[in-house]
Amino acid sequence: EIKDCSFSKNNTSFVNTRNKLLQALFEGDDEVAKQLIDKALIVATSFNEFGRNVEKEAYYQSFMNGIFVDVSENSDYTYASCYETGNGLADIVITAQSKYAVILELKHALSKEDLAKAAETGLKQIFDKKYADGLFEKRFKLESIVCTGLSFFGKECCLSMRLVRRSAN
């Protein structure tokens, strides 16, 4: 349970929640990841921000960057925002022990009913722009990547995930 909305390594509740989120992402557990992100959205975001003239996808990317801001301090992980790979920029790339990775492509849905479609659009972009292929080429020790389309509307999210393993070529 998140008791304090500060994204700080000194906030034990936040760190525990972030670690559970990382585990869910690397395991491809979309239900647990959704629960944790939705809870963080409720605690740490404001509806006042959603109405402003800000690019919604950028708002949510900043939110996710805040969650993962210091994850690279743990030597097991690397974290990159707007990572150049394949034929474009993946919104977020996290690696664990140089063997496993998660690619997150964020999308803003136009309505709650469009959350699943927007998440699928993000996942499709990962494959269309060959983000995973590019990451395998750059990181030779990678064994698998969880490709994830992550969509947002208000204080809710939806994830569409697919595991990709390095081919034996």
Side-chain angles (χ1 to χ4, degrees):
E1 176 181 327
I2 303 172
K3 298 174 185 159
D4 176 351
C5 65
S6 64
F7 292 169
S8 165
K9 63 184 172 188
N10 299 323
N11 179 347
T12 309
S13 172
F14 162 70
V15 171
N16 290 337
T17 299
R18 186 200 53 216
N19 290 344
K20 287 178 190 172
L21 177 56
L22 282 168
Q23 181 178 354
L25 290 171
F26 279 99
E27 291 176 356
D29 190 337
D30 58 340
E31 289 182 26
V32 170
K34 176 185 172 27
Q35 290 171 357
L36 294 168
I37 295 169
D38 281 350
K39 189 178 288 188
L41 285 164
I42 288 169
V43 171
T45 62
S46 166
F47 272 106
N48 290 326
E49 298 301 323
F50 300 133
R52 296 186 182 208
N53 289 332
V54 295
E55 209 271 286
K56 304 291 190 247
E57 193 174 307
Y59 174 81
Y60 289 110
Q61 180 147 357
S62 294
F63 168 74
M64 295 302 292
N65 286 340
I67 289 175
F68 296 118
V69 68
D70 65 350
V71 76
S72 292
E73 287 183 8
N74 177 331
S75 61
D76 287 342
Y77 294 103
T78 63
Y79 176 83
S81 179
C82 298
Y83 187 81
E84 187 175 334
T85 181
N87 296 319
L89 296 172
D91 288 332
I92 295 172
V93 174
I94 308 168
T95 62
Q97 299 135 10
S98 299
K99 290 183 180 181
Y100 313 102
V102 172
I103 297 174
L104 296 169
E105 186 58 38
L106 282 55
K107 297 295 175 195
H108 175 253
L110 299 177
S111 69
K112 184 176 177 177
E113 294 74 30
D114 287 338
L115 276 166
K117 182 180 176 185
E120 282 294 322
T121 298
L123 183 62
K124 184 178 182 314
Q125 181 176 330
I126 291 171
F127 289 100
D128 288 350
K129 295 200 173 196
K130 303 182 187 291
Y131 294 163
D133 295 342
L135 196 55
F136 280 127
E137 291 297 320
K138 286 184 173 192
R139 308 272 181 103
F140 298 114
K141 293 181 182 179
L142 273 182
E143 296 174 10
S144 64
I145 301 171
V146 177
C147 301
T148 307
L150 173 57
S151 65
F152 295 91
F153 180 78
K155 294 189 179 198
E156 289 190 48
C157 74
C158 181
L159 295 93
S160 181
M161 305 174 115
R162 188 175 314 150
L163 176 68
V164 178
R165 296 186 191 282
R166 181 182 290 280
S167 62
N169 295 346

mmCIF file with all atom_site columns, all heavy atoms in Angstrom, residues 74-87:
data_model
loop_
_atom_site.group_PDB
_atom_site.id
_atom_site.type_symbol
_atom_site.label_atom_id
_atom_site.label_alt_id
_atom_site.label_comp_id
_atom_site.label_asym_id
_atom_site.label_entity_id
_atom_site.label_seq_id
_atom_site.pdbx_PDB_ins_code
_atom_site.Cartn_x
_atom_site.Cartn_y
_atom_site.Cartn_z
_atom_site.occupancy
_atom_site.B_iso_or_equiv
_atom_site.pdbx_formal_charge
_atom_site.auth_seq_id
_atom_site.auth_comp_id
_atom_site.auth_asym_id
_atom_site.auth_atom_id
_atom_site.pdbx_PDB_model_num
ATOM 1   N N   . ASN A 1 74 ? 20.416 0.426  -8.384  1.00 0.00 ? 74 ASN A N   1
ATOM 2   C CA  . ASN A 1 74 ? 20.604 -0.984 -8.097  1.00 0.00 ? 74 ASN A CA  1
ATOM 3   C C   . ASN A 1 74 ? 21.368 -1.548 -9.297  1.00 0.00 ? 74 ASN A C   1
ATOM 4   O O   . ASN A 1 74 ? 20.901 -1.471 -10.431 1.00 0.00 ? 74 ASN A O   1
ATOM 5   C CB  . ASN A 1 74 ? 19.237 -1.663 -7.945  1.00 0.00 ? 74 ASN A CB  1
ATOM 6   C CG  . ASN A 1 74 ? 19.334 -3.141 -7.715  1.00 0.00 ? 74 ASN A CG  1
ATOM 7   O OD1 . ASN A 1 74 ? 20.274 -3.798 -8.150  1.00 0.00 ? 74 ASN A OD1 1
ATOM 8   N ND2 . ASN A 1 74 ? 18.354 -3.689 -7.027  1.00 0.00 ? 74 ASN A ND2 1
ATOM 9   N N   . SER A 1 75 ? 22.532 -2.109 -9.059  1.00 0.00 ? 75 SER A N   1
ATOM 10  C CA  . SER A 1 75 ? 23.401 -2.548 -10.158 1.00 0.00 ? 75 SER A CA  1
ATOM 11  C C   . SER A 1 75 ? 22.784 -3.656 -11.012 1.00 0.00 ? 75 SER A C   1
ATOM 12  O O   . SER A 1 75 ? 23.284 -3.960 -12.088 1.00 0.00 ? 75 SER A O   1
ATOM 13  C CB  . SER A 1 75 ? 24.757 -2.993 -9.611  1.00 0.00 ? 75 SER A CB  1
ATOM 14  O OG  . SER A 1 75 ? 24.586 -4.091 -8.729  1.00 0.00 ? 75 SER A OG  1
ATOM 15  N N   . ASP A 1 76 ? 21.682 -4.250 -10.549 1.00 0.00 ? 76 ASP A N   1
ATOM 16  C CA  . ASP A 1 76 ? 21.020 -5.287 -11.341 1.00 0.00 ? 76 ASP A CA  1
ATOM 17  C C   . ASP A 1 76 ? 20.222 -4.714 -12.505 1.00 0.00 ? 76 ASP A C   1
ATOM 18  O O   . ASP A 1 76 ? 19.884 -5.433 -13.439 1.00 0.00 ? 76 ASP A O   1
ATOM 19  C CB  . ASP A 1 76 ? 20.065 -6.110 -10.471 1.00 0.00 ? 76 ASP A CB  1
ATOM 20  C CG  . ASP A 1 76 ? 20.799 -7.041 -9.528  1.00 0.00 ? 76 ASP A CG  1
ATOM 21  O OD1 . ASP A 1 76 ? 21.997 -7.310 -9.765  1.00 0.00 ? 76 ASP A OD1 1
ATOM 22  O OD2 . ASP A 1 76 ? 20.180 -7.502 -8.556  1.00 0.00 ? 76 ASP A OD2 1
ATOM 23  N N   . TYR A 1 77 ? 19.885 -3.415 -12.439 1.00 0.00 ? 77 TYR A N   1
ATOM 24  C CA  . TYR A 1 77 ? 18.993 -2.811 -13.422 1.00 0.00 ? 77 TYR A CA  1
ATOM 25  C C   . TYR A 1 77 ? 19.645 -1.673 -14.189 1.00 0.00 ? 77 TYR A C   1
ATOM 26  O O   . TYR A 1 77 ? 20.502 -0.970 -13.674 1.00 0.00 ? 77 TYR A O   1
ATOM 27  C CB  . TYR A 1 77 ? 17.751 -2.228 -12.731 1.00 0.00 ? 77 TYR A CB  1
ATOM 28  C CG  . TYR A 1 77 ? 16.864 -3.259 -12.088 1.00 0.00 ? 77 TYR A CG  1
ATOM 29  C CD1 . TYR A 1 77 ? 16.883 -3.455 -10.710 1.00 0.00 ? 77 TYR A CD1 1
ATOM 30  C CD2 . TYR A 1 77 ? 15.991 -4.033 -12.844 1.00 0.00 ? 77 TYR A CD2 1
ATOM 31  C CE1 . TYR A 1 77 ? 16.062 -4.394 -10.112 1.00 0.00 ? 77 TYR A CE1 1
ATOM 32  C CE2 . TYR A 1 77 ? 15.168 -4.972 -12.259 1.00 0.00 ? 77 TYR A CE2 1
ATOM 33  C CZ  . TYR A 1 77 ? 15.206 -5.149 -10.884 1.00 0.00 ? 77 TYR A CZ  1
ATOM 34  O OH  . TYR A 1 77 ? 14.400 -6.080 -10.303 1.00 0.00 ? 77 TYR A OH  1
ATOM 35  N N   . THR A 1 78 ? 19.170 -1.502 -15.434 1.00 0.00 ? 78 THR A N   1
ATOM 36  C CA  . THR A 1 78 ? 19.438 -0.265 -16.166 1.00 0.00 ? 78 THR A CA  1
ATOM 37  C C   . THR A 1 78 ? 18.081 0.275  -16.589 1.00 0.00 ? 78 THR A C   1
ATOM 38  O O   . THR A 1 78 ? 17.129 -0.482 -16.777 1.00 0.00 ? 78 THR A O   1
ATOM 39  C CB  . THR A 1 78 ? 20.314 -0.471 -17.419 1.00 0.00 ? 78 THR A CB  1
ATOM 40  O OG1 . THR A 1 78 ? 19.615 -1.308 -18.343 1.00 0.00 ? 78 THR A OG1 1
ATOM 41  C CG2 . THR A 1 78 ? 21.662 -1.077 -17.062 1.00 0.00 ? 78 THR A CG2 1
ATOM 42  N N   . TYR A 1 79 ? 18.003 1.587  -16.728 1.00 0.00 ? 79 TYR A N   1
ATOM 43  C CA  . TYR A 1 79 ? 16.747 2.243  -17.086 1.00 0.00 ? 79 TYR A CA  1
ATOM 44  C C   . TYR A 1 79 ? 17.046 3.329  -18.099 1.00 0.00 ? 79 TYR A C   1
ATOM 45  O O   . TYR A 1 79 ? 17.996 4.095  -17.936 1.00 0.00 ? 79 TYR A O   1
ATOM 46  C CB  . TYR A 1 79 ? 16.106 2.875  -15.840 1.00 0.00 ? 79 TYR A CB  1
ATOM 47  C CG  . TYR A 1 79 ? 14.857 3.642  -16.154 1.00 0.00 ? 79 TYR A CG  1
ATOM 48  C CD1 . TYR A 1 79 ? 13.644 2.984  -16.272 1.00 0.00 ? 79 TYR A CD1 1
ATOM 49  C CD2 . TYR A 1 79 ? 14.881 5.011  -16.377 1.00 0.00 ? 79 TYR A CD2 1
ATOM 50  C CE1 . TYR A 1 79 ? 12.494 3.678  -16.597 1.00 0.00 ? 79 TYR A CE1 1
ATOM 51  C CE2 . TYR A 1 79 ? 13.740 5.707  -16.705 1.00 0.00 ? 79 TYR A CE2 1
ATOM 52  C CZ  . TYR A 1 79 ? 12.542 5.033  -16.801 1.00 0.00 ? 79 TYR A CZ  1
ATOM 53  O OH  . TYR A 1 79 ? 11.404 5.712  -17.126 1.00 0.00 ? 79 TYR A OH  1
ATOM 54  N N   . ALA A 1 80 ? 16.235 3.389  -19.143 1.00 0.00 ? 80 ALA A N   1
ATOM 55  C CA  . ALA A 1 80 ? 16.400 4.442  -20.144 1.00 0.00 ? 80 ALA A CA  1
ATOM 56  C C   . ALA A 1 80 ? 15.035 4.903  -20.633 1.00 0.00 ? 80 ALA A C   1
ATOM 57  O O   . ALA A 1 80 ? 14.150 4.084  -20.892 1.00 0.00 ? 80 ALA A O   1
ATOM 58  C CB  . ALA A 1 80 ? 17.229 3.942  -21.321 1.00 0.00 ? 80 ALA A CB  1
ATOM 59  N N   . SER A 1 81 ? 14.894 6.205  -20.748 1.00 0.00 ? 81 SER A N   1
ATOM 60  C CA  . SER A 1 81 ? 13.689 6.806  -21.297 1.00 0.00 ? 81 SER A CA  1
ATOM 61  C C   . SER A 1 81 ? 14.023 7.301  -22.702 1.00 0.00 ? 81 SER A C   1
ATOM 62  O O   . SER A 1 81 ? 15.115 7.811  -22.941 1.00 0.00 ? 81 SER A O   1
ATOM 63  C CB  . SER A 1 81 ? 13.259 7.964  -20.402 1.00 0.00 ? 81 SER A CB  1
ATOM 64  O OG  . SER A 1 81 ? 12.115 8.593  -20.915 1.00 0.00 ? 81 SER A OG  1
ATOM 65  N N   . CYS A 1 82 ? 13.097 7.128  -23.639 1.00 0.00 ? 82 CYS A N   1
ATOM 66  C CA  . CYS A 1 82 ? 13.308 7.519  -25.045 1.00 0.00 ? 82 CYS A CA  1
ATOM 67  C C   . CYS A 1 82 ? 14.580 6.877  -25.592 1.00 0.00 ? 82 CYS A C   1
ATOM 68  O O   . CYS A 1 82 ? 15.487 7.542  -26.087 1.00 0.00 ? 82 CYS A O   1
ATOM 69  C CB  . CYS A 1 82 ? 13.344 9.040  -25.186 1.00 0.00 ? 82 CYS A CB  1
ATOM 70  S SG  . CYS A 1 82 ? 11.813 9.834  -24.718 1.00 0.00 ? 82 CYS A SG  1
ATOM 71  N N   . TYR A 1 83 ? 14.644 5.564  -25.511 1.00 0.00 ? 83 TYR A N   1
ATOM 72  C CA  . TYR A 1 83 ? 15.816 4.792  -25.897 1.00 0.00 ? 83 TYR A CA  1
ATOM 73  C C   . TYR A 1 83 ? 15.776 4.484  -27.391 1.00 0.00 ? 83 TYR A C   1
ATOM 74  O O   . TYR A 1 83 ? 14.820 3.882  -27.883 1.00 0.00 ? 83 TYR A O   1
ATOM 75  C CB  . TYR A 1 83 ? 15.871 3.497  -25.086 1.00 0.00 ? 83 TYR A CB  1
ATOM 76  C CG  . TYR A 1 83 ? 17.114 2.691  -25.274 1.00 0.00 ? 83 TYR A CG  1
ATOM 77  C CD1 . TYR A 1 83 ? 18.282 3.024  -24.596 1.00 0.00 ? 83 TYR A CD1 1
ATOM 78  C CD2 . TYR A 1 83 ? 17.134 1.591  -26.119 1.00 0.00 ? 83 TYR A CD2 1
ATOM 79  C CE1 . TYR A 1 83 ? 19.432 2.271  -24.754 1.00 0.00 ? 83 TYR A CE1 1
ATOM 80  C CE2 . TYR A 1 83 ? 18.280 0.830  -26.284 1.00 0.00 ? 83 TYR A CE2 1
ATOM 81  C CZ  . TYR A 1 83 ? 19.425 1.184  -25.602 1.00 0.00 ? 83 TYR A CZ  1
ATOM 82  O OH  . TYR A 1 83 ? 20.570 0.446  -25.759 1.00 0.00 ? 83 TYR A OH  1
ATOM 83  N N   . GLU A 1 84 ? 16.818 4.881  -28.103 1.00 0.00 ? 84 GLU A N   1
ATOM 84  C CA  . GLU A 1 84 ? 16.881 4.623  -29.541 1.00 0.00 ? 84 GLU A CA  1
ATOM 85  C C   . GLU A 1 84 ? 17.193 3.156  -29.790 1.00 0.00 ? 84 GLU A C   1
ATOM 86  O O   . GLU A 1 84 ? 18.232 2.642  -29.361 1.00 0.00 ? 84 GLU A O   1
ATOM 87  C CB  . GLU A 1 84 ? 17.936 5.503  -30.203 1.00 0.00 ? 84 GLU A CB  1
ATOM 88  C CG  . GLU A 1 84 ? 17.904 5.397  -31.700 1.00 0.00 ? 84 GLU A CG  1
ATOM 89  C CD  . GLU A 1 84 ? 18.858 6.354  -32.396 1.00 0.00 ? 84 GLU A CD  1
ATOM 90  O OE1 . GLU A 1 84 ? 19.173 7.410  -31.817 1.00 0.00 ? 84 GLU A OE1 1
ATOM 91  O OE2 . GLU A 1 84 ? 19.271 6.022  -33.506 1.00 0.00 ? 84 GLU A OE2 1
ATOM 92  N N   . THR A 1 85 ? 16.263 2.494  -30.471 1.00 0.00 ? 85 THR A N   1
ATOM 93  C CA  . THR A 1 85 ? 16.432 1.085  -30.790 1.00 0.00 ? 85 THR A CA  1
ATOM 94  C C   . THR A 1 85 ? 15.575 0.760  -32.002 1.00 0.00 ? 85 THR A C   1
ATOM 95  O O   . THR A 1 85 ? 14.560 1.400  -32.234 1.00 0.00 ? 85 THR A O   1
ATOM 96  C CB  . THR A 1 85 ? 16.054 0.175  -29.600 1.00 0.00 ? 85 THR A CB  1
ATOM 97  O OG1 . THR A 1 85 ? 16.260 -1.187 -29.963 1.00 0.00 ? 85 THR A OG1 1
ATOM 98  C CG2 . THR A 1 85 ? 14.623 0.359  -29.147 1.00 0.00 ? 85 THR A CG2 1
ATOM 99  N N   . GLY A 1 86 ? 15.993 -0.192 -32.797 1.00 0.00 ? 86 GLY A N   1
ATOM 100 C CA  . GLY A 1 86 ? 15.236 -0.529 -33.990 1.00 0.00 ? 86 GLY A CA  1
ATOM 101 C C   . GLY A 1 86 ? 15.101 0.686  -34.890 1.00 0.00 ? 86 GLY A C   1
ATOM 102 O O   . GLY A 1 86 ? 16.088 1.360  -35.182 1.00 0.00 ? 86 GLY A O   1
ATOM 103 N N   . ASN A 1 87 ? 13.870 0.987  -35.291 1.00 0.00 ? 87 ASN A N   1
ATOM 104 C CA  . ASN A 1 87 ? 13.606 2.117  -36.183 1.00 0.00 ? 87 ASN A CA  1
ATOM 105 C C   . ASN A 1 87 ? 12.907 3.267  -35.466 1.00 0.00 ? 87 ASN A C   1
ATOM 106 O O   . ASN A 1 87 ? 12.008 3.888  -36.017 1.00 0.00 ? 87 ASN A O   1
ATOM 107 C CB  . ASN A 1 87 ? 12.742 1.653  -37.368 1.00 0.00 ? 87 ASN A CB  1
ATOM 108 C CG  . ASN A 1 87 ? 13.467 0.642  -38.216 1.00 0.00 ? 87 ASN A CG  1
ATOM 109 O OD1 . ASN A 1 87 ? 14.656 0.778  -38.484 1.00 0.00 ? 87 ASN A OD1 1
ATOM 110 N ND2 . ASN A 1 87 ? 12.759 -0.389 -38.640 1.00 0.00 ? 87 ASN A ND2 1
#
